[in-house]
């Protein structure tokens, strides 16, 4: 009797909250409804992954300074970058490329450093690569970061045997020539490798293959990528870029082909006016801001297009989309090597990161891994370095603010918002997603894309009540505000106070051009 009464009263109470929430929000122009008591798929922490290629100053200088460097380091890895990346709780790191991966021969990068073969990095600036950062150094880096390794194998110019032996060298505990070699090089125990990619952009820099040819090659390579001991490889097949759905169709349609991989990669870079007019990373106006956001939002359509094909062949969503290269691609900083892809990072990039991460969260049922391009000093980096100096970019701060979503469960939500109009074009003003973590805390991540006006957002949070709401905001005065080695704190998060929470309805005033993350605690 008492139980029935309690149930009934809780039902009435809940009904009352929903009714009140809906009533209060009926007239709102901008509304984000969150259903807090019916969690959906897990937002894999791996969609917050990063990517470090042997490209420009990403690995060398950015991460690896060598044992004898004056820059404080741990096993040759610079401490400042290590600590900053640890703060981000980076879940996985992809290496060694990118296009570099299909030119990389892993045996050049093991053994005593002074004896390692040098090669020319033909894709990136034609510089000499001395292979001082190789397998052992990378695996040490992942250990120090506490993250999973995502290794990209060489299909384009490598052999099946070479790739198979790399996996054996890395992960086998049995006695074999490869494991003896590993032990000679100082590593007794096998490592754990979670993700392994079978080539990179094999439709382009990874061998210019057709989808049909690559599918056959992938099947062959994959056959010899063994799971040793407890290690279970999540094999990533080279997928499409942008809207190339026919590549996805070819990889997915045949059960014998799709049984050979767990994830299918997807690459998409946001460009302001195409590859020939990428524009400056810092010197831009509202038109370029708008175009960037517009390009970023396309990620949603791109995922939907590929996911629709995957749904036909894999309705249970067992195969993951692995967006292992994404981000803004601008012109290199004036005076820097064009092959090094070094670009600054502004508030615009922060908004771009928030847009992408919200999109990935909302596609948590299919997107299982994603990697921002790239970690340090290349493209949309989270960190920039110059000599012994280091600076965290606005993109870094967004990743830190959003890490509350790692392995949380996506909450069903519905966003209605006004348009952000520029000239003849319009895009939604807001980006949003919500999740609930294992402690029952709800996190809502929001971005106001409009640089000209604050926006009031009414957010009924249905099904649960909360006693405390806290938040953080990232914004700045100018659209191109950025951190430099001289002024490293120009763009940084601050406590957010622009919200109220009453009768189950959160009302948030989002400053113009801002990213806000809120935490609701019971
Ligand atoms: O991230 C830079 C390059 O972009 C990668 O090497 C390649 O995979 C992509 O085209």
């Amino acid at each position: 009797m008492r139980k029935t009464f309690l149930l009934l009263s809780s039902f009435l109470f809940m009904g009352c909250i929903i009714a009140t929430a809906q009533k209060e929000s009926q007239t709102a122009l901008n509304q984000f409804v969150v259903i807090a008591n019916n969690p959906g798929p897990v937002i894999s922490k791996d969609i917050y992954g990063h990517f470090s290629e042997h490209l420009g100053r990403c690995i060398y200088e950015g991460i690896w300074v060598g044992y004898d460097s004056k820059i404080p380091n741990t096993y040759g890895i610079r401490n400042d970058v290590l600590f900053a990346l640890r703060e981000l709780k980076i879940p996985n790191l992809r290496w060694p490329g990118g296009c570099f991966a299909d030119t990389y021969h892993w045996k050049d990068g093991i053994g005593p450093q002074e004896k390692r073969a040098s090669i020319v990095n033909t894709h990136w600036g034609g510089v000499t690569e001395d292979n001082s950062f190789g397998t052992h150094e990378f695996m040490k880096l992942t250990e120090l970061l506490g993250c999973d390794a995502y290794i990209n194998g060489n299909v384009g110019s490598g052999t099946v045997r070479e790739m198979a032996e790399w996996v054996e060298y890395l992960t086998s505990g049995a006695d074999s020539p490869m494991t003896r070699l590993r032990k000679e090089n100082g590593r007794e125990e096998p490592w754990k490798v979670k993700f392994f990619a079978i080539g990179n952009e094999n439709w382009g820099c990874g061998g210019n293959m057709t989808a049909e040819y690559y599918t056959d090659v992938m099947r062959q390579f994959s056959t010899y990528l063994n799971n040793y001991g407890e290690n279970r490889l999540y094999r990533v097949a080279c997928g499409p870029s942008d809207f190339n759905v026919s590549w996805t169709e070819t990889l997915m349609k045949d059960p014998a082909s799709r049984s050979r991989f767990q994830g299918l990669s997807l690459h998409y870079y946001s460009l302001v006016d195409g590859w020939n007019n990428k524009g400056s990373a810092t010197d831009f106006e509202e038109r370029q801001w708008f175009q960037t956001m517009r390009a970023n939002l396309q990620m949603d359509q791109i995922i939907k297009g590929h996911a629709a094909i995957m749904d036909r062949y894999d309705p249970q969503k067992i195969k993951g989309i692995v967006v292992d290269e994404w981000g803004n691609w601008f012109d290199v900083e004036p005076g820097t090597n064009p092959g090094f892809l070094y670009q600054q990072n502004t508030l615009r990039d922060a908004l771009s990161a928030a847009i992408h991460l919200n999109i990935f969260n909302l596609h948590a049922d299919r997107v299982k891994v994603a990697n921002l391009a790239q970690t340090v000093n290349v493209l949309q980096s989270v960190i920039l370095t110059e000599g012994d100096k280091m600076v965290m970019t606005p993109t870094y701060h967004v990743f830190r603010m959003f890490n509350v979503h790692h392995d949380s469960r996506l909450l069903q939500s519905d966003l209605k918002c006004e348009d952000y109009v520029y000239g003849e074009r319009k895009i939604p003003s807001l980006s949003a997603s919500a999740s609930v973590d294992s402690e029952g805390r709800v996190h809502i991540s929001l971005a106001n894309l409009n640089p000209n006006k604050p926006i009031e957002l009414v957010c009924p949070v249905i099904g649960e009540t909360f006693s405390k709401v806290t938040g953080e905001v990232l914004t700045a005065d100018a659209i191109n505000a950025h951190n430099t080695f001289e002024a490293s704190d120009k763009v940084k998060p601050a406590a957010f106070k622009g919200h109220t929470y009453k009768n189950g309805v959160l009302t948030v005033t989002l400053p113009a051009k801002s990213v806000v993350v809120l935490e609701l605690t019971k």
Side-chain angles (χ1 to χ4, degrees):
M1 177 70 183
R2 188 176 137 74
K3 211 168 161 192
T4 318
F5 174 76
L6 282 174
L7 265 175
L8 194 64
S9 47
S10 104
F11 179 75
L12 288 173
F13 181 60
M14 197 68 81
C16 189
I17 288 174
I18 295 170
T20 314
Q22 284 169 343
K23 194 170 156 224
E24 289 204 2
S25 61
Q26 254 160 18
T27 51
L29 179 56
N30 299 293
Q31 181 178 293
F32 184 52
V33 179
V34 176
I35 314 293
N37 60 352
N38 187 19
V42 170
I43 297 172
S44 170
K45 67 180 189 316
D46 287 313
I47 68 171
Y48 289 80
H50 293 264
F51 167 37
S52 293
E53 181 165 11
H54 287 236
L55 194 178
R57 298 186 303 111
C58 181
I59 292 290
Y60 298 108
E61 289 185 40
I63 292 175
W64 175 255
V65 288
Y67 303 106
D68 301 329
S69 173
K70 289 201 180 87
I71 297 174
N73 66 84
T74 307
Y75 299 108
I77 295 157
R78 55 189 296 166
N79 287 343
D80 50 0
V81 171
L82 197 57
F83 296 152
L85 291 177
R86 272 193 196 144
E87 272 291 302
L88 283 191
K89 301 190 181 144
I90 84 169
N92 70 75
L93 186 62
R94 177 174 180 245
W95 172 84
C99 292
F100 181 78
D102 284 275
T103 64
Y104 184 62
H105 300 284
W106 69 273
K107 284 184 186 163
D108 293 345
I110 54 169
Q113 294 206 321
E114 62 289 357
K115 291 198 179 147
R116 295 187 190 174
S118 285
I119 57 162
V120 174
N121 191 333
T122 47
H123 284 295
W124 306 118
V127 292
T128 300
E129 157 70 57
D130 69 2
N131 279 304
S132 51
F133 189 89
T135 299
H136 290 252
E137 291 76 18
F138 174 68
M139 294 310 293
K140 175 59 79 182
L141 171 63
T142 60
E143 269 173 21
L144 292 170
L145 289 173
C147 74
D148 281 307
Y150 177 178
I151 292 189
N152 205 117
N154 177 351
V155 166
S157 69
T159 63
V160 176
R161 178 177 178 176
E162 185 182 10
M163 194 186 285
E165 286 186 341
W166 200 5
V167 171
E168 185 184 343
Y169 184 93
L170 283 157
T171 60
S172 171
D175 182 41
S176 74
M178 282 307 109
T179 59
R180 265 176 257 141
L181 185 59
R182 185 187 70 222
K183 289 175 192 177
E184 274 166 34
N185 289 330
R187 173 75 188 194
E188 197 64 27
E189 295 302 316
W191 289 284
K192 177 178 171 266
V193 174
K194 186 166 177 188
F195 304 104
F196 198 97
I198 308 166
N200 168 73
E201 296 195 352
N202 301 94
W203 36 261
C205 64
N208 285 305
M209 301 173 189
T210 62
E212 290 73 18
Y213 181 74
Y214 171 75
T215 304
D216 285 346
V217 169
M218 180 276 299
R219 287 167 61 153
Q220 183 192 9
F221 273 72
S222 172
T223 307
Y224 301 95
L225 299 183
N226 293 320
N227 285 324
Y228 292 100
E230 308 269 281
N231 197 70
R232 290 288 165 275
L233 291 177
Y234 186 96
R235 294 175 188 76
V236 181
C238 167
S241 85
D242 307 0
F243 289 98
N244 184 0
V245 287
S246 77
W247 185 279
T248 304
E249 177 84 34
T250 307
L251 266 290
M252 286 298 295
K253 67 183 177 202
D254 177 9
S257 304
R258 62 176 188 268
S259 71
R260 302 251 47 109
F261 62 85
Q262 285 70 48
L264 188 64
S265 79
L266 169 64
H267 290 183
Y268 172 63
Y269 286 100
S270 298
L271 303 163
V272 171
D273 290 311
W275 285 103
N276 296 326
N277 288 299
K278 298 192 285 294
S280 164
T282 52
D283 187 11
F284 60 87
E285 297 186 344
E286 188 181 346
R287 189 186 76 77
Q288 288 86 351
W289 166 282
F290 179 89
Q291 284 286 90
T292 305
M293 310 281 134
R294 196 167 160 264
N296 298 153
L297 289 162
Q298 295 238 30
M299 180 58 95
D300 184 51
Q301 290 309 315
I302 291 173
I303 292 172
K304 281 185 180 138
H306 297 290
I309 291 169
M310 293 172 84
D311 286 350
R312 272 200 274 125
Y313 300 110
D314 172 34
Q316 288 172 323
K317 300 181 194 286
I318 292 162
K319 309 285 166 199
I321 292 181
V322 176
V323 193
D324 53 12
E325 287 187 32
W326 66 268
N328 291 335
W329 193 319
F330 301 121
D331 288 342
V332 298
E333 289 306 306
T336 65
N337 187 330
F340 281 13
L341 310 185
Y342 177 70
Q343 65 189 43
Q344 246 294 0
N345 196 290
T346 67
L347 182 65
R348 172 174 60 169
D349 294 278
L351 270 288
S352 299
I355 291 169
H356 280 92
L357 294 173
N358 277 334
I359 291 172
F360 298 152
N361 285 352
L362 293 167
H363 287 287
D365 60 340
R366 186 60 88 176
V367 176
K368 299 297 175 191
V369 186
N371 303 77
L372 172 69
Q374 298 194 6
T375 319
V376 191
N377 293 333
V378 170
L379 299 176
Q380 194 183 337
S381 313
V382 288
I383 288 171
L384 302 176
T385 67
E386 192 180 84
D388 63 354
K389 289 180 269 182
M390 182 201 83
V391 71
M392 288 170 279
T393 66
T395 299
Y396 175 97
H397 295 304
V398 171
F399 268 80
R400 215 272 298 125
M401 289 164 74
F402 273 60
N403 69 20
V404 290
H405 290 301
H406 288 196
D407 285 339
S408 287
R409 290 179 67 188
L410 181 70
L411 292 176
Q412 213 184 316
S413 60
D414 184 47
L415 175 68
K416 286 193 176 54
C417 68
E418 63 189 81
D419 288 327
Y420 164 27
V421 182
Y422 185 85
E424 307 273 280
R425 291 182 155 158
K426 57 184 186 190
I427 55 176
S429 281
L430 301 178
S431 153
S433 71
S435 72
V436 59
D437 70 12
S438 54
E439 322 257 292
R441 288 174 301 216
V442 165
H443 293 104
I444 300 178
S445 43
L446 305 163
N448 177 3
L449 283 45
N450 193 325
N452 303 315
K453 58 181 278 208
I455 290 183
E456 187 178 272
L457 176 68
V458 174
C459 186
V461 186
I462 296 171
E464 300 283 355
T465 46
F466 300 89
S467 61
K468 192 173 156 205
V469 183
T470 54
E472 267 191 302
V473 60
L474 187 77
T475 187
D477 291 342
I479 54 176
N480 64 346
H482 55 280
N483 296 332
T484 63
F485 299 104
E486 294 71 40
S488 57
D489 273 350
K490 278 212 148 167
V491 188
K492 65 168 187 188
F496 181 67
K497 303 275 176 232
H499 55 83
T500 58
Y501 177 65
K502 210 175 128 211
N503 297 332
V505 180
L506 191 60
T507 305
V508 188
T509 305
L510 291 158
K513 51 178 165 28
S514 70
V515 178
V516 168
V517 177
L518 296 162
E519 177 172 279
L520 288 71
T521 318
K522 280 191 191 151

